[in-house]
Amino acid sequence: MIEMVKFVDLKRLHSSLVSSFTKTLRRHILNSNFILGESVQRFEKNFSSYLGVKYAVGVNSGTDALMISLKSLGLEKGEEVIVPAFTFVSTASSVVLMGGRPVFCDIEEDTLGMDVEDLKKKITSKTKAVICVHLYGNPCNILEIKRICRKNKIFLIEDACQAHGAKVKFRGSFKFVGTFGDCGCFSFYPSKNLGALADGGMLVSSKKSIYKKALILRDCGRISKNVFLHPGFNTRLSSIQASFLDIKLRYLDEWNRRRKKIAGWYKQLLEDVPQVKIVPEEKYGECVYHLIGILTPQRDALLEFLKSKGIEVGIHYPFPLHLQPCFKYLNYKKGDFPVSEKIASSILTLPLHPYLSYKEIKYVCYQIKKFYTSKK
Ligand SMILES: Cc1ncc(COP(=O)(O)O)c(C=O)c1O
């Protein structure tokens, strides 16, 4: 008998790793190794090797990775950066914090990635960069977005904060998302596919000049012990977290495979429910299912029903960014981004973590079906 299905279950994920974490923590305490140093360098090397990208800079969060990317690319006051209207707030707020102006762009309903036709319309002489997002772990139309950026001589930042390990077919083999743009940004927030036991993030790039700037910017603008080139941030990835992440990186592919399998169960078991449409669709590459959602017009009622059955569900995200109070000054209005608005009002995200059993997924789908049969 199932009483509860958790949305994310870090306790279950970490249970077999507790003794490795404890040994590592002990080593850090005994060596007094807390800030930068060997463990951060090792994880940067391992993460960049995993992705097949030249450089990686560990920072304190995905938000910081986005801010440092913008600063490293030389964003200046008032310059525009095109971002999707449907994503986590940091994709756009990082632009504001770095002095730029976010310009919103609609998304595709099936992939949740940036709509390239709308993107083309949003480019002006003031556009400095595009930040595309691989939302829910699903690759967006990155090859086309890259082509558009190159043609218009604008920088491309990939927000891969939800997409560790997602990949796209490129020149006959696979290439990881986050490695196509000038910069790729990752979050290690604990519930991410690769999560630390605290906040954390990473900026990756294949360009040495960006790497060098980012290294300086993450450490107070420091170029040597007591010399600071320009004002910088204090956003160094914790040494202890870098070691924890190194342990978890070994399991990333296995965990992603399990997520994909679970997504497959949802698709199969909900196939015959006409009231729900599963997103995202894998159109441009392999999704790592950080999240999976259903689009349904009776979202709020279904949410309450599933909660009453012990099923933890979420809404990622209930409001598109152009309607958030923090972007009111940009003067967008309801109706400006119809797809983003539709998804925000009809998306429901379902439990998805590597240790969910078939029995649990069957129970969730059974309750979804029950809700719709009772509505007939
Ligand atoms: C798409 C996206 N961008 C940026 C971020 C920000 O990452 P962090 O929470 O590590 O600052 C997140 C985190 O949820 C995210 O999902």
Side-chain angles (χ1 to χ4, degrees), residues 61-63 66 87-88 90-91 133 159 161-162 187 189 192 200 317:
S61 66
T63 307
L66 287 162
T87 171
F88 183 65
S90 295
T91 315
V133 184
D159 180 338
C161 285
Q162 300 187 359
S187 164
Y189 182 80
K192 294 291 196 264
Y317 301 95

Side-chain angles (χ1 to χ4, degrees), residues 299-319:
R299 191 264 310 274
D300 295 340
L302 177 61
L303 182 143
E304 290 309 323
F305 178 79
L306 292 176
K307 271 190 185 167
S308 76
K309 301 294 174 193
I311 298 166
E312 287 184 350
V313 283
I315 301 179
H316 297 80
Y317 301 95
F319 308 107

Side-chain angles (χ1 to χ4, degrees), residues 111 134 137-142 166-168 177 283-288:
T111 67
H134 306 290
N138 195 35
C140 65
N141 192 355
I142 187 68
K167 46 197 173 190
V168 169
V177 305
K283 216 159 147 185
Y284 307 114
E286 273 198 35
C287 180
V288 288

Side-chain angles (χ1 to χ4, degrees), residues 41-61:
Q41 276 174 10
R42 189 184 330 113
F43 178 59
E44 286 171 343
K45 187 165 169 287
N46 289 341
F47 192 64
S48 58
S49 303
Y50 171 84
L51 292 176
V53 68
K54 239 176 173 165
Y55 304 109
V57 180
V59 293
N60 237 329
S61 66

